């Protein structure tokens, strides 16, 4: 299992929003920035407008679990910020919807390694 660092600082989020490349999917959007580090960075952003804390935490757990599955297939030195699509109702999104969308978006971003 690779070592992944969780992005927590506000300036790191701003850096990914401004300098990261944007990729969209049906349920999740990604900002991806490739660096020359030997580790990956990961963050999830869910707006308060999406729902109550229980719903937001549920969707973050699902995304985190999918990231753990695909962590071995992500290129080293990649910073990923996942934003949940605001048009979709997060209570209706399932684990498998996120899994399919996550994999497709990573392949679209060319950070997928087999």
């Amino acid at each position: 299992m690779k070592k992944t660092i969780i992005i927590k600082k506000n300036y790191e989020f701003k850096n990914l929003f401004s300098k990261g490349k944007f990729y969209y999917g049906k349920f999740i959007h990604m900002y991806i920035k490739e660096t020359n580090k030997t580790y990956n960075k990961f963050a999830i952003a869910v707006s308060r407008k999406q729902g109550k804390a229980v719903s937001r935490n549920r969707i973050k757990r699902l995304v985190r679990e999918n990231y753990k599955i695909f962590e071995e297939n992500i290129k080293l030195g990649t910073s990923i910020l996942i934003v949940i699509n605001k048009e979709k109702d997060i209570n209706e999104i399932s684990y498998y919807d996120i899994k399919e969308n996550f994999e497709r978006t990573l392949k679209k971003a060319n950070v997928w390694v087999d």
Side-chain angles (χ1 to χ4, degrees), residues 7-18 41:
I7 297 174
K8 295 179 182 175
K9 302 290 183 182
N10 193 22
Y11 69 89
E12 292 176 317
F13 275 94
K14 286 182 180 178
N15 188 19
L16 263 175
F17 272 122
S18 63
K41 289 186 173 185

Side-chain angles (χ1 to χ4, degrees), residues 26-55:
K26 187 174 180 182
F27 300 108
I28 58 175
H29 303 310
M30 287 187 192
Y31 289 89
I32 296 178
K33 183 180 174 194
E34 293 187 28
T35 61
N36 53 2
K37 308 282 186 196
T38 59
Y39 52 85
N40 293 335
K41 289 186 173 185
F42 178 70
I44 305 169
V46 183
S47 171
R48 279 193 194 161
K49 295 178 182 178
Q50 292 284 51
K52 303 281 184 187
V54 174
S55 311

Side-chain angles (χ1 to χ4, degrees), residues 56-86:
R56 294 193 313 262
N57 287 334
R58 177 187 162 270
I59 203 75
K60 285 193 279 187
R61 280 195 312 270
L62 294 176
V63 171
R64 236 181 273 122
E65 187 60 34
N66 276 297
Y67 180 78
K68 285 180 187 176
I69 291 171
F70 295 132
E71 188 175 20
E72 297 295 323
N73 297 328
I74 297 174
K75 237 190 276 187
L76 280 179
T78 305
S79 296
I80 300 174
L81 170 63
I82 295 180
V83 181
I84 305 301
N85 190 354
K86 292 180 182 174

Side-chain angles (χ1 to χ4, degrees), residues 92-105:
E92 296 177 2
I93 299 174
S94 72
Y95 172 82
Y96 298 105
D97 294 334
I98 293 174
K99 184 175 181 180
E100 176 186 326
N101 200 243
F102 201 96
E103 183 177 1
R104 186 179 304 134
T105 309

